[in-house]
């Protein structure tokens, strides 16, 4: 028997099966315990302080009780608190990004992923540096400033040197007024030394989805290849942090295992990072398994309906209040619309999940990783966000100003976001509107910016932001930031 210990560096101790099962049992026993539920909800609510707000978050046990509770009024309350937390720490800003698939060569055997090695009919592609240039120019021409690079695991085709060279290529391209200012990386678990190299290459967040926290299922779902090693995969974030990367992104591929188990594991992982490194996950993603070449999501038998998916998002928001939350184009416009109100702070737009997909006229399917539900253009997504009261933000300032890890979290906690992230969002949105938007989006956007500028509390910051916005409109000067 392994004892639960959030401070341990051993996977089976910080993601402890017995503790998860005891948590699920506790949640089931207490799912109608109104006194306890109200106590947990009160703990989750943001508390006003002199400088702004603080939130204490929830333990995996508390959060699991809320997830299990099926009383409709309590679910409504969870949703209200989730929205309050989102607005307190992230305001109405939504950060925009796009994935860039570098290579779909892979030596793993993941049963849910079309890149698995035994898939003989998917077209295998690996971008050359020149092809990366063309993809990045296409992404810059849409208006993207932040990318997440994606690659299968293949030490021969996609060694770390290839990833590092690709990052250098991406940062080096300035097409017209375009630039990619933050490259996040979603590649397989690797060594401390390789994480150090990624850090030196200037990456933003290192993202790695756990897929499932349930070890037995994990081993079955990853029958072959280096990814089969559950412990190595689960301990990857600790190695990334040891290598100097202090912004890491967690995620579960929902649909593979029972969601209550995954949810408890995910919150325990966040608690572990906080306990060991003093800083929780920078982001949490909530992908759901989708149809893809050679993949039928129904075989996994654990798909979650949209209502439960929304509740999971809201409960994560309450449990880990300072983390950024990401939803991708795996989800439809309708699902994303609700998720945005419940705590999501980052979304992708106009994504192509095929290698080389951005330079093709038509959406190619032959090398796609999964079907994309939200197929709108970036201009359409930006317009839709603004019409729904959000500010699309292309800001990448934090990590470029050294505000990573706990420094970012303290910005969040001490109420300086309105004097920092808010003007940065407005300035980068202005760049988007001037350089890339359609006439209609531009009109809506400029009216929104006028209104939102008045919310900047510090008069000096407001004045500087107004000057920079005028500069962006009247010249080619770009990349102002606080
Ligand atoms: N190869 C890397 C690794 O081993 O972690 C990560 C890159 S992979 C391109 C990104 C993520 O896509 C995976 O971690 C997985 O969660 C997700 N994914 C794979 N197949 C999927 C599917 N059929 N539907 C939705 N998401 C999928």
């Amino acid at each position: 028997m392994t004892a639960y210990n959030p401070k341990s560096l051993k996977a089976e101790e910080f993601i402890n099966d017995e503790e998860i099962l005891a948590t699920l049992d506790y949640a089931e026993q207490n799912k109608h315990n109104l006194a306890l539920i109200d106590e947990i909800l009160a703990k989750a609510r943001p508390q006003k302080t002199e400088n702004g707000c603080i939130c204490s978050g929830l333990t995996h046990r508390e959060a699991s009780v809320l997830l299990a509770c099926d009383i409709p009024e309590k679910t409504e309350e969870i949703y209200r608190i989730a929205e309050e937390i989102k607005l307190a720490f992230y305001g109405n800003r939504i950060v925009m990004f796009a994935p860039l698939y570098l290579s779909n060569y892979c030596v793993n055997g993941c049963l849910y992923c079309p890149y698995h090695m035994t898939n003989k009919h998917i077209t295998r592609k690996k971008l050359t540096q020149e092809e990366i240039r063309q993809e990045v120019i296409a992404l810059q021409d849409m208006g993207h400033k932040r990318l997440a690079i994606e690659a299968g695991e293949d030490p021969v085709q996609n060694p770390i040197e290839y990833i590092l060279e690709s990052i250098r290529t991406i940062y080096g391209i300035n097409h017209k007024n375009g630039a990619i200012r933050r490259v996040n990386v979603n590649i397989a678990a690797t060594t401390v030394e390789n994480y150090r190299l990624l850090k030196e290459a200037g990456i933003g967040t290192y993202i790695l989805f756990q897929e499932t926290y349930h070890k037995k299922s994990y081993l079955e779902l990853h029958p072959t290849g280096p990814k089969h090693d559950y412990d190595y995969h689960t301990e990857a974030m600790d190695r990334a942090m040891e290598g100097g990367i202090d912004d890491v992104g967690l995620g579960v591929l929902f649909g593979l295992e029972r969601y209550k188990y995954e949810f408890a594991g995910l919150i325990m992982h966040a608690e572990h990072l906080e306990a060991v490194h003093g800083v929780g996950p920078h982001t949490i993603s909530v992908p759901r398994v989708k149809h893809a070449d050679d993949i039928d999501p129904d075989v996994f038998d654990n798909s979650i309906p949209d209502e439960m998916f929304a509740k999971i998002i809201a409960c994560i928001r309450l449990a880990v209040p300072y983390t950024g939350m990401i939803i991708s184009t795996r989800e439809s416009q309708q699902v994303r619309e609700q998720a945005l109100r419940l705590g999501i702070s980052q979304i992708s737009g106009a994504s192509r999940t095929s290698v080389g997909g951005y330079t093709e006229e038509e959406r190619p399917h032959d090398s796609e990783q999964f079907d994309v539900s939200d197929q709108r253009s970036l201009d359409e997504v930006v317009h839709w966000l603004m019409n729904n009261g959000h500010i699309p933000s292309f800001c990448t300032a934090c990590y470029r100003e050294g505000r990573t890890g706990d420094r970012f979290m303290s910005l969040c906690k001490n109420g300086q976001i309105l004097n920092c992230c808010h003007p940065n969002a407005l300035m980068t949105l202005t760049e988007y509107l001037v350089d890339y938007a359609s006439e209609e989006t531009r009109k809506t956007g400029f009216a929104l910016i006028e209104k939102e500028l008045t919310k900047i509390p510090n008069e000096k910051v407001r004045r500087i932001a107004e000057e920079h916005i005028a500069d962006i409109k009247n010249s080619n000067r770009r990349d102002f930031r606080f």
Side-chain angles (χ1 to χ4, degrees):
M1 194 174 102
T2 10
Y4 172 50
N5 177 7
K7 287 200 164 159
S8 165
L9 293 174
K10 286 197 184 136
E12 283 181 77
E13 289 176 4
F14 65 83
I15 303 294
N16 183 257
D17 181 57
E18 280 184 34
E19 173 56 23
I20 297 182
L21 296 178
T23 297
L24 301 191
D25 193 39
Y26 174 78
E28 195 56 32
Q29 301 292 327
N30 285 289
K31 67 180 187 184
H32 296 144
N33 179 343
L34 285 177
L36 178 68
I37 289 163
D38 285 341
E39 208 178 287
I40 297 172
L41 289 173
K43 183 182 172 195
R45 250 182 221 109
Q47 307 294 328
K48 289 240 172 312
T49 63
E50 230 174 275
N51 299 324
C53 262
I54 53 162
C55 246
S56 52
L58 299 175
T59 65
H60 59 277
R61 285 212 176 198
E62 293 164 336
S64 294
V65 171
L66 294 188
L67 189 65
C69 168
D70 53 5
I71 305 168
E73 303 83 77
K74 295 298 162 194
T75 303
E76 283 310 310
E77 211 171 328
I78 292 169
Y79 287 3
R80 273 199 301 278
I81 298 173
E83 193 168 1
E84 253 180 70
I85 295 174
K86 158 82 196 322
L87 289 174
F89 301 115
Y90 285 90
N92 54 347
R93 293 174 303 282
I94 300 293
V95 169
M96 308 300 305
F97 78 98
L100 172 60
Y101 282 76
L102 297 180
S103 164
N104 62 3
Y105 282 94
C106 193
V107 296
N108 286 313
C110 316
L111 299 187
Y112 49 83
C113 180
Y115 294 174
H116 67 82
M117 203 182 174
T118 44
N119 186 351
K120 298 292 176 212
H121 44 86
I122 193 167
T123 313
R124 300 286 170 177
K125 285 188 191 167
K126 171 186 170 184
L127 298 180
T128 62
Q129 298 306 308
E130 182 47 35
E131 285 166 336
I132 293 174
R133 246 183 82 76
Q134 297 309 321
E135 288 281 289
V136 169
I137 287 173
L139 283 155
Q140 289 185 3
D141 277 343
M142 281 185 226
H144 277 295
K145 298 283 186 278
R146 174 188 293 243
L147 299 184
I149 56 172
E150 314 269 342
E153 179 167 14
D154 187 326
V156 175
Q157 290 286 349
N158 319 325
I160 192 71
E161 293 74 21
Y162 170 69
I163 305 290
L164 296 169
E165 190 186 1
S166 304
I167 295 169
R168 280 193 295 274
T169 299
I170 295 168
Y171 278 135
I173 301 162
N174 288 96
H175 170 68
K176 300 183 182 162
N177 284 335
I180 298 302
R181 301 173 184 153
R182 178 174 178 129
V183 177
N184 296 334
V185 172
N186 184 359
I187 59 165
T190 184
T191 59
V192 174
E193 188 42 42
N194 285 349
Y195 286 125
R196 200 161 278 133
L197 294 172
L198 287 169
K199 169 74 183 174
E200 282 165 16
I203 68 160
T205 311
Y206 172 66
I207 300 165
L208 182 70
F209 300 155
Q210 178 64 30
E211 322 301 6
T212 173
Y213 284 98
H214 190 277
K215 185 167 183 174
K216 186 166 168 287
S217 302
Y218 182 96
L219 297 176
E220 286 163 12
L221 287 159
H222 305 94
T224 54
K227 197 165 171 175
H228 179 71
D229 188 337
Y230 174 88
D231 292 353
Y232 190 73
H233 189 81
T234 311
E235 293 160 7
M237 294 315 193
D238 298 298
R239 291 196 301 280
M241 286 188 155
E242 196 186 330
I245 297 174
D246 41 17
D247 286 347
V248 299
L250 303 180
V252 155
L253 187 54
F254 283 103
L256 299 179
E257 244 298 336
R258 290 151 300 165
Y259 69 87
K260 289 180 181 169
Y261 193 100
E262 303 293 27
F263 176 82
L266 181 64
I267 307 301
M268 283 166 88
H269 203 168
E271 288 169 336
H272 162 72
L273 296 178
E274 184 84 48
V276 175
H277 307 282
V279 50
H282 188 68
T283 56
I284 293 182
S285 301
V286 287
R288 278 197 285 189
V289 67
K290 296 271 305 178
H291 172 270
D293 177 80
D294 208 34
I295 305 296
D296 171 7
D298 294 335
V299 304
F300 302 109
D301 218 22
N302 284 300
S303 69
I304 24 178
D306 291 350
E307 306 79 63
M308 189 46 74
F309 185 58
K311 191 164 175 201
I312 291 170
I313 292 171
C315 289
I316 296 173
R317 184 71 293 158
L318 267 58
V320 199
Y322 300 109
T323 196
M325 284 185 71
I326 303 179
I327 198 163
S328 74
T329 54
R330 288 177 182 86
E331 301 298 336
S332 65
Q333 171 178 341
Q334 195 192 4
V335 169
R336 300 212 304 168
E337 201 158 305
Q338 186 184 22
L340 285 168
R341 287 197 303 276
L342 300 177
I344 295 294
S345 56
Q346 268 193 48
I347 65 169
S348 44
S351 304
R352 298 230 166 145
T353 66
S354 44
V355 182
Y358 293 109
T359 41
E360 306 273 341
E361 271 301 303
E362 293 288 317
R363 179 178 293 277
H365 295 291
D366 62 338
S367 67
E368 261 189 332
Q369 199 192 16
F370 51 81
D371 289 356
V372 168
S373 293
D374 187 341
Q375 301 199 357
R376 291 172 296 169
S377 69
L378 185 60
D379 192 69
E380 287 170 309
V381 174
V382 166
H383 201 212
W384 160 76
L385 283 172
M386 296 191 297
N387 280 340
N388 282 285
H390 305 288
I391 306 171
S393 171
F394 292 86
C395 179
T396 53
C398 269
Y399 107 101
R400 295 160 78 218
E401 293 292 326
R403 293 189 295 259
T404 57
D406 53 357
R407 288 172 297 272
F408 167 77
M409 294 298 168
S410 64
L411 178 84
C412 237
K413 291 174 191 173
N414 70 17
Q416 278 314 298
I417 274 198
L418 268 181
N419 282 321
C420 192
C421 306
H422 195 69
N424 284 342
L426 299 181
M427 293 188 298
T428 55
L429 176 59
T430 307
E431 290 186 352
Y432 175 80
L433 296 174
V434 171
D435 290 335
Y436 309 103
S438 65
E439 204 41 54
E440 212 188 328
T441 303
R442 197 171 294 161
K443 239 169 80 188
T444 311
F446 286 149
L448 177 80
I449 289 168
E450 281 298 304
K451 196 175 88 196
E452 292 289 338
L453 273 168
T454 62
K455 293 187 188 165
I456 301 172
N458 183 309
E459 206 179 307
K460 189 170 165 214
V461 173
R462 193 178 340 122
R463 192 176 41 73
I464 296 172
E466 281 164 353
E467 283 169 15
H468 289 338
I469 285 174
D471 258 347
I472 297 166
K473 286 181 179 173
N474 300 322
S475 74
N476 275 337
R477 291 184 65 199
R478 299 288 179 270
D479 203 13
F480 297 103
R481 59 181 184 264
F482 288 98

